[in-house]
Amino acid sequence: MKFVNQLSTNRKEILTYGISMFAVLFVLKYLEANFIVINYRLDFFIGSIAILFTVLGIWLALHLVKPKIETRIVEKEVYIDSSIGTEINQDEIERFGLSKRELEVLNLMSAGLSNEEIAEKLFISLNTVKTHSSNLFVKLDVKRRTQAVEKGRRLNIIAQ
Amino acid sequence: MKFVNQLSTNRKEILTYGISMFAVLFVLKYLEANFIVINYRLDFFIGSIAILFTVLGIWLALHLVKPKIETRIVEKEVYIDSSIGTEINQDEIERFGLSKRELEVLNLMSAGLSNEEIAEKLFISLNTVKTHSSNLFVKLDVKRRTQAVEKGRRLNIIAQ
DNA sequence: GCAAAAATCACCCGAAAGTATGAAGTCAAA
DNA sequence: TTTGACTTCATACTTTCGGGTGATTTTTGC
Protein backbone atom coordinates (compact mmCIF):
# COMPACT_ATOMS: atom_id res chain seq x y z
CA MET A 1 0.00 0.00 0.00
CA LYS A 2 0.99 3.54 -0.50
CA PHE A 3 1.42 4.62 3.09
CA VAL A 4 3.40 1.64 4.25
CA ASN A 5 6.76 3.16 3.58
CA GLN A 6 5.68 6.26 5.44
CA LEU A 7 5.13 4.25 8.57
CA SER A 8 7.75 3.55 11.15
CA THR A 9 7.87 0.21 12.87
CA ASN A 10 6.69 1.45 16.19
CA ARG A 11 5.76 -1.75 17.89
CA LYS A 12 4.23 -0.20 20.95
CA GLU A 13 1.65 1.67 18.88
CA ILE A 14 0.82 -1.42 16.88
CA LEU A 15 0.52 -3.46 20.03
CA THR A 16 -1.79 -0.89 21.58
CA TYR A 17 -3.89 -0.92 18.47
CA GLY A 18 -4.01 -4.70 18.39
CA ILE A 19 -5.04 -4.92 22.00
CA SER A 20 -7.78 -2.31 21.64
CA MET A 21 -9.07 -4.09 18.55
CA PHE A 22 -9.22 -7.42 20.31
CA ALA A 23 -10.85 -5.82 23.30
CA VAL A 24 -13.57 -4.35 21.13
CA LEU A 25 -14.11 -7.63 19.28
CA PHE A 26 -14.32 -9.41 22.59
CA VAL A 27 -17.03 -7.07 23.79
CA LEU A 28 -18.84 -7.66 20.53
CA LYS A 29 -18.74 -11.42 21.03
CA TYR A 30 -20.15 -10.98 24.49
CA LEU A 31 -22.96 -8.81 23.22
CA GLU A 32 -23.65 -11.28 20.47
CA ALA A 33 -23.82 -14.14 22.94
CA ASN A 34 -26.29 -12.27 25.06
CA PHE A 35 -28.48 -11.14 22.17
CA ILE A 36 -28.49 -7.62 23.46
CA VAL A 37 -27.55 -5.55 20.52
CA ILE A 38 -27.56 -7.79 17.53
CA ASN A 39 -31.22 -8.34 16.99
CA TYR A 40 -32.11 -4.86 18.02
CA ARG A 41 -30.30 -2.28 15.96
CA LEU A 42 -27.69 -3.76 13.73
CA ASP A 43 -27.25 -0.76 11.51
CA PHE A 44 -26.67 1.56 14.41
CA PHE A 45 -24.33 -1.01 15.84
CA ILE A 46 -22.31 -1.34 12.66
CA GLY A 47 -22.23 2.43 12.39
CA SER A 48 -20.71 2.70 15.84
CA ILE A 49 -18.08 0.13 14.94
CA ALA A 50 -17.30 2.02 11.77
CA ILE A 51 -16.88 5.33 13.56
CA LEU A 52 -14.90 3.74 16.34
CA PHE A 53 -12.42 2.12 14.02
CA THR A 54 -12.22 5.15 11.83
CA VAL A 55 -11.14 7.17 14.84
CA LEU A 56 -8.77 4.39 15.76
CA GLY A 57 -7.33 4.44 12.25
CA ILE A 58 -6.88 8.18 12.36
CA TRP A 59 -5.18 7.93 15.70
CA LEU A 60 -2.98 5.15 14.41
CA ALA A 61 -1.97 7.08 11.32
CA LEU A 62 -1.20 10.26 13.22
CA HIS A 63 0.97 8.38 15.66
CA LEU A 64 2.78 6.20 13.19
CA VAL A 65 3.54 8.70 10.49
CA LYS A 66 6.98 10.08 10.92
CA PRO A 67 6.97 13.83 11.13
CA LYS A 68 8.69 14.97 8.02
CA ILE A 69 10.76 17.74 9.43
CA GLU A 70 13.49 16.87 11.84
CA THR A 71 15.93 19.70 12.05
CA ARG A 72 14.84 23.18 11.40
CA ILE A 73 17.50 25.56 12.48
CA VAL A 74 15.87 28.30 10.55
CA GLU A 75 17.75 31.45 9.93
CA LYS A 76 15.64 33.92 8.09
CA GLU A 77 18.26 36.57 8.29
CA VAL A 78 21.82 36.23 9.33
CA TYR A 79 22.99 39.53 10.62
CA ILE A 80 26.65 39.74 10.02
CA ASP A 81 28.49 42.25 12.08
CA SER A 82 31.70 43.42 10.54
CA SER A 83 33.62 42.45 13.64
CA ILE A 84 31.70 39.72 15.42
CA GLY A 85 30.55 36.67 13.51
CA THR A 86 26.93 35.74 14.11
CA GLU A 87 27.19 32.36 12.50
CA ILE A 88 26.30 29.34 14.57
CA ASN A 89 29.39 28.07 16.24
CA GLN A 90 29.59 24.39 15.43
CA ASP A 91 32.76 23.98 17.44
CA GLU A 92 31.09 25.12 20.64
CA ILE A 93 28.21 22.75 20.06
CA GLU A 94 30.65 19.89 19.75
CA ARG A 95 32.66 21.10 22.71
CA PHE A 96 29.62 20.81 24.94
CA GLY A 97 28.55 17.59 23.26
CA LEU A 98 25.03 18.76 22.50
CA SER A 99 22.83 16.38 20.56
CA LYS A 100 20.56 17.40 17.73
CA ARG A 101 17.44 17.14 19.84
CA GLU A 102 18.94 19.07 22.71
CA LEU A 103 19.86 21.82 20.31
CA GLU A 104 16.34 21.96 18.96
CA VAL A 105 14.96 22.22 22.47
CA LEU A 106 17.42 24.98 23.29
CA ASN A 107 16.41 26.95 20.23
CA LEU A 108 12.72 26.65 21.01
CA MET A 109 13.45 27.63 24.59
CA SER A 110 15.14 30.76 23.41
CA ALA A 111 12.07 31.54 21.34
CA GLY A 112 10.17 31.66 24.62
CA LEU A 113 8.24 28.39 24.32
CA SER A 114 7.22 26.42 27.40
CA ASN A 115 8.14 22.75 27.71
CA GLU A 116 4.56 21.89 26.85
CA GLU A 117 4.70 23.90 23.65
CA ILE A 118 8.07 22.46 22.73
CA ALA A 119 6.64 18.97 23.18
CA GLU A 120 3.79 19.75 20.81
CA LYS A 121 6.09 21.27 18.26
CA LEU A 122 8.49 18.34 18.24
CA PHE A 123 5.76 15.67 18.49
CA ILE A 124 7.19 14.23 21.69
CA SER A 125 5.91 14.00 25.23
CA LEU A 126 6.40 16.60 27.92
CA ASN A 127 8.54 14.16 29.88
CA THR A 128 10.92 13.78 26.98
CA VAL A 129 11.31 17.51 26.66
CA LYS A 130 12.13 17.62 30.36
CA THR A 131 14.75 14.94 29.89
CA HIS A 132 16.32 16.79 26.99
CA SER A 133 16.34 20.09 28.80
CA SER A 134 17.70 18.49 31.92
CA ASN A 135 20.58 16.92 30.00
CA LEU A 136 21.09 20.21 28.25
CA PHE A 137 21.46 22.05 31.55
CA VAL A 138 24.03 19.56 32.77
CA LYS A 139 26.03 19.83 29.58
CA LEU A 140 25.93 23.61 29.55
CA ASP A 141 26.51 23.69 33.29
CA VAL A 142 23.55 25.94 34.01
CA LYS A 143 20.65 25.77 36.42
CA ARG A 144 17.79 27.40 34.55
CA ARG A 145 16.42 27.69 31.04
CA THR A 146 17.05 31.42 31.05
CA GLN A 147 20.69 30.75 31.84
CA ALA A 148 20.87 28.16 29.11
CA VAL A 149 19.44 30.63 26.62
CA GLU A 150 21.83 33.32 27.76
CA LYS A 151 24.84 31.05 27.50
CA GLY A 152 23.69 29.60 24.20
CA ARG A 153 23.30 33.09 22.81
CA ARG A 154 26.65 34.17 24.11
CA LEU A 155 28.38 31.19 22.55
CA ASN A 156 26.50 31.60 19.27
CA ILE A 157 24.88 28.24 19.63
CA ILE A 158 21.42 29.66 19.14
CA ALA A 159 19.97 30.96 15.91
CA GLN A 160 19.71 34.68 16.61
CA MET B 1 -9.71 16.17 20.21
CA LYS B 2 -6.05 16.65 19.89
CA PHE B 3 -5.58 15.97 16.21
CA VAL B 4 -8.39 18.18 15.05
CA ASN B 5 -6.25 21.25 14.64
CA GLN B 6 -3.79 19.26 12.59
CA LEU B 7 -6.44 18.57 10.03
CA SER B 8 -7.26 20.82 7.16
CA THR B 9 -10.81 21.32 6.04
CA ASN B 10 -10.44 19.44 2.82
CA ARG B 11 -14.03 18.95 1.83
CA LYS B 12 -13.40 16.66 -1.09
CA GLU B 13 -11.67 14.16 1.16
CA ILE B 14 -14.43 14.33 3.73
CA LEU B 15 -17.06 13.93 1.05
CA THR B 16 -15.29 10.91 -0.36
CA TYR B 17 -15.09 9.43 3.08
CA GLY B 18 -18.75 10.08 3.77
CA ILE B 19 -19.80 8.53 0.49
CA SER B 20 -17.71 5.41 1.01
CA MET B 21 -19.05 5.07 4.51
CA PHE B 22 -22.62 5.30 3.34
CA ALA B 23 -21.91 2.89 0.52
CA VAL B 24 -20.56 0.34 2.92
CA LEU B 25 -23.47 0.80 5.30
CA PHE B 26 -25.83 0.41 2.37
CA VAL B 27 -24.24 -2.88 1.42
CA LEU B 28 -24.56 -3.98 5.01
CA LYS B 29 -28.26 -3.23 5.03
CA TYR B 30 -28.65 -5.25 1.86
CA LEU B 31 -26.81 -8.18 3.35
CA GLU B 32 -28.83 -7.90 6.49
CA ALA B 33 -32.08 -7.94 4.51
CA ASN B 34 -31.03 -11.06 2.68
CA PHE B 35 -29.79 -12.92 5.73
CA ILE B 36 -26.65 -13.87 3.95
CA VAL B 37 -23.92 -12.85 6.26
CA ILE B 38 -25.53 -11.97 9.53
CA ASN B 39 -26.43 -15.33 10.87
CA TYR B 40 -23.41 -16.96 9.42
CA ARG B 41 -20.25 -15.40 10.74
CA LEU B 42 -20.84 -12.21 12.62
CA ASP B 43 -17.46 -12.05 14.24
CA PHE B 44 -15.68 -12.35 10.94
CA PHE B 45 -18.04 -9.81 9.53
CA ILE B 46 -17.42 -7.32 12.32
CA GLY B 47 -13.72 -7.91 12.01
CA SER B 48 -13.86 -7.01 8.34
CA ILE B 49 -15.74 -3.84 9.12
CA ALA B 50 -13.17 -2.96 11.75
CA ILE B 51 -10.24 -3.48 9.42
CA LEU B 52 -11.99 -1.70 6.58
CA PHE B 53 -12.73 1.37 8.62
CA THR B 54 -9.34 1.35 10.23
CA VAL B 55 -7.79 1.53 6.79
CA LEU B 56 -10.29 4.19 5.89
CA GLY B 57 -9.34 6.15 9.00
CA ILE B 58 -5.66 5.85 8.21
CA TRP B 59 -6.26 6.96 4.67
CA LEU B 60 -8.36 9.85 5.91
CA ALA B 61 -5.73 10.98 8.37
CA LEU B 62 -2.93 10.76 5.86
CA HIS B 63 -4.88 12.81 3.35
CA LEU B 64 -6.17 15.38 5.77
CA VAL B 65 -3.00 16.09 7.64
CA LYS B 66 -1.50 19.28 6.44
CA PRO B 67 1.73 18.67 4.62
CA LYS B 68 4.49 19.91 6.82
CA ILE B 69 6.18 22.90 5.35
CA GLU B 70 9.73 22.09 4.58
CA THR B 71 11.74 24.89 5.96
CA ARG B 72 14.91 25.50 4.14
CA ILE B 73 17.92 27.00 5.71
CA VAL B 74 17.95 30.18 3.74
CA GLU B 75 20.76 32.30 4.94
CA LYS B 76 20.04 35.83 4.01
CA GLU B 77 23.10 37.75 4.91
CA VAL B 78 22.32 41.17 6.19
CA TYR B 79 25.17 43.42 7.01
CA ILE B 80 24.41 45.94 9.67
CA ASP B 81 26.19 48.61 11.56
CA SER B 82 27.49 47.36 14.87
CA SER B 83 26.30 50.57 16.53
CA ILE B 84 22.64 50.31 15.47
CA GLY B 85 22.19 46.75 16.68
CA THR B 86 23.48 47.34 20.16
CA GLU B 87 21.65 50.55 20.79
CA ILE B 88 18.83 50.35 23.27
CA ASN B 89 15.60 51.43 21.70
CA GLN B 90 14.13 54.07 24.00
CA ASP B 91 11.07 54.51 21.82
CA GLU B 92 10.02 50.89 22.23
CA ILE B 93 10.42 51.14 25.99
CA GLU B 94 8.10 54.11 26.04
CA ARG B 95 5.71 52.44 23.64
CA PHE B 96 5.21 49.59 26.07
CA GLY B 97 5.22 51.92 29.06
CA LEU B 98 7.90 50.05 30.95
CA SER B 99 9.04 51.53 34.22
CA LYS B 100 12.64 51.76 35.36
CA ARG B 101 12.31 48.91 37.81
CA GLU B 102 10.57 46.66 35.32
CA LEU B 103 13.36 47.28 32.87
CA GLU B 104 15.96 46.38 35.47
CA VAL B 105 14.13 43.17 36.24
CA LEU B 106 13.90 42.36 32.55
CA ASN B 107 17.61 42.88 32.06
CA LEU B 108 18.51 40.69 35.00
CA MET B 109 16.09 38.08 33.72
CA SER B 110 17.83 38.04 30.38
CA ALA B 111 21.10 37.49 32.19
CA GLY B 112 19.62 34.27 33.48
CA LEU B 113 19.00 35.26 37.07
CA SER B 114 16.20 33.73 39.11
CA ASN B 115 13.62 35.89 40.84
CA GLU B 116 15.39 35.19 44.11
CA GLU B 117 18.72 36.40 42.73
CA ILE B 118 17.11 39.47 41.20
CA ALA B 119 15.58 40.29 44.55
CA GLU B 120 18.98 40.10 46.23
CA LYS B 121 20.62 42.20 43.58
CA LEU B 122 18.02 44.94 43.74
CA PHE B 123 17.64 44.79 47.54
CA ILE B 124 13.93 44.12 47.33
CA SER B 125 11.77 41.17 48.33
CA LEU B 126 10.98 38.18 46.18
CA ASN B 127 7.34 39.19 46.13
CA THR B 128 8.20 42.57 44.72
CA VAL B 129 10.21 40.98 41.95
CA LYS B 130 7.22 38.83 41.18
CA THR B 131 5.00 41.87 41.02
CA HIS B 132 7.39 43.67 38.70
CA SER B 133 7.79 40.69 36.42
CA SER B 134 4.05 40.10 36.39
CA ASN B 135 3.38 43.69 35.37
CA LEU B 136 6.15 43.40 32.83
CA PHE B 137 4.53 40.36 31.25
CA VAL B 138 1.23 42.16 30.96
CA LYS B 139 2.82 45.19 29.36
CA LEU B 140 4.85 43.13 26.90
CA ASP B 141 1.88 40.82 26.34
CA VAL B 142 3.83 37.66 27.08
CA LYS B 143 3.27 34.68 29.34
CA ARG B 144 6.75 33.66 30.44
CA ARG B 145 10.09 35.19 31.32
CA THR B 146 11.73 33.48 28.37
CA GLN B 147 9.19 35.11 26.09
CA ALA B 148 9.79 38.45 27.72
CA VAL B 149 13.52 38.09 27.19
CA GLU B 150 13.04 37.06 23.58
CA LYS B 151 10.73 39.98 22.87
CA GLY B 152 12.92 42.40 24.75
CA ARG B 153 15.92 41.29 22.78
CA ARG B 154 14.08 41.48 19.51
CA LEU B 155 12.95 45.02 20.26
CA ASN B 156 16.38 46.08 21.45
CA ILE B 157 15.06 46.85 24.90
CA ILE B 158 17.68 44.69 26.54
CA ALA B 159 21.34 45.49 26.82
CA GLN B 160 22.98 42.90 24.59
C1' DG C 1 26.07 -8.25 15.18
C1' DC C 2 26.82 -5.69 19.19
C1' DA C 3 27.92 -2.02 22.26
C1' DA C 4 27.33 2.88 22.92
C1' DA C 5 24.88 6.94 22.28
C1' DA C 6 20.70 9.13 21.52
C1' DA C 7 15.87 9.49 21.95
C1' DT C 8 11.81 8.30 24.03
C1' DC C 9 8.68 8.09 28.16
C1' DA C 10 7.07 7.60 33.06
C1' DC C 11 6.62 8.82 38.02
C1' DC C 12 7.59 11.36 42.08
C1' DC C 13 8.71 15.38 44.51
C1' DG C 14 10.31 19.79 45.71
C1' DA C 15 11.46 24.38 43.98
C1' DA C 16 10.59 28.19 41.22
C1' DA C 17 7.59 30.84 38.57
C1' DG C 18 3.46 33.04 37.83
C1' DT C 19 -1.63 34.73 39.09
C1' DA C 20 -4.83 37.20 41.86
C1' DT C 21 -5.79 40.37 45.19
C1' DG C 22 -5.10 43.78 48.51
C1' DA C 23 -2.61 47.38 50.64
C1' DA C 24 0.42 51.18 51.66
C1' DG C 25 4.01 54.70 50.93
C1' DT C 26 6.42 58.07 47.47
C1' DC C 27 6.41 61.55 44.32
C1' DA C 28 5.38 64.27 40.39
C1' DA C 29 1.94 66.54 37.78
C1' DA C 30 -2.61 68.36 37.04
C1' DT D 1 -4.35 68.82 46.99
C1' DT D 2 -5.63 65.02 44.96
C1' DT D 3 -4.98 62.04 41.23
C1' DG D 4 -2.23 58.63 39.12
C1' DA D 5 1.93 56.10 38.18
C1' DC D 6 5.52 53.70 40.56
C1' DT D 7 7.38 51.01 44.02
C1' DT D 8 7.12 48.19 47.73
C1' DC D 9 5.34 44.03 50.18
C1' DA D 10 2.18 40.20 51.64
C1' DT D 11 -0.76 35.97 51.38
C1' DA D 12 -2.76 32.31 49.03
C1' DC D 13 -3.02 29.56 45.21
C1' DT D 14 -1.93 27.21 40.60
C1' DT D 15 1.17 26.02 37.17
C1' DT D 16 5.50 25.07 35.34
C1' DC D 17 10.20 23.74 35.93
C1' DG D 18 13.76 20.91 37.19
C1' DG D 19 16.12 16.90 39.72
C1' DG D 20 16.37 12.06 40.39
C1' DT D 21 15.61 7.58 38.92
C1' DG D 22 14.69 3.88 35.93
C1' DA D 23 13.29 1.89 31.72
C1' DT D 24 12.70 0.83 26.68
C1' DT D 25 13.58 1.65 22.02
C1' DT D 26 15.99 3.50 18.10
C1' DT D 27 20.06 4.84 15.86
C1' DT D 28 24.77 4.66 15.02
C1' DG D 29 29.52 3.47 14.86
C1' DC D 30 32.86 -0.18 15.04
Side-chain angles (χ1 to χ4, degrees), chain A residues 7-151:
Chain A
L7 301 177
S8 68
T9 54
N10 194 327
R11 286 183 192 146
K12 207 171 78 183
E13 309 285 359
I14 291 173
L15 195 69
T16 310
Y17 170 69
I19 289 172
S20 358
M21 188 156 160
F22 269 103
V24 170
L25 289 178
F26 200 77
V27 170
L28 298 189
K29 282 300 280 184
Y30 171 79
L31 293 176
E32 182 190 1
N34 288 274
F35 292 94
I36 296 172
V37 181
I38 305 309
N39 297 325
Y40 192 54
R41 285 226 180 141
L42 189 68
D43 49 349
F44 172 75
F45 185 61
I46 298 288
S48 305
I49 306 285
I51 291 169
L52 183 68
F53 278 90
T54 301
V55 172
L56 221 57
I58 290 174
W59 174 85
L60 198 68
L62 288 178
H63 280 78
L64 288 183
V65 170
K66 267 186 184 168
K68 271 137 202 167
I69 325 161
E70 299 248 319
T71 334
R72 341 160 270 129
I73 305 173
V74 187
E75 290 176 82
K76 287 177 192 168
E77 292 165 18
V78 180
Y79 291 94
I80 293 182
D81 206 292
S82 42
S83 52
I84 310 152
T86 332
E87 296 148 38
I88 291 175
N89 197 332
Q90 209 66 38
D91 295 336
E92 293 286 14
I93 294 174
E94 279 177 37
R95 189 162 74 84
F96 287 96
L98 303 183
S99 73
K100 199 180 75 180
R101 230 27 173 175
E102 285 159 1
L103 210 59
E104 285 181 297
V105 169
L106 178 59
N107 271 282
L108 292 174
M109 264 182 191
S110 81
L113 301 203
S114 68
N115 286 340
E116 189 81 53
E117 291 167 339
I118 294 173
E120 282 174 31
K121 200 146 219 164
L122 297 181
F123 298 104
I124 56 180
S125 84
L126 174 60
N127 287 312
T128 308
V129 176
K130 284 185 178 183
T131 306
H132 285 318
S133 62
S134 196
N135 293 333
L136 183 66
F137 296 157
V138 172
K139 287 181 180 177
L140 286 181
D141 188 31
V142 295
K143 288 222 160 298
R144 282 173 288 282
R145 50 175 50 223
T146 43
Q147 271 184 10
V149 169
E150 194 276 330
K151 190 159 189 174

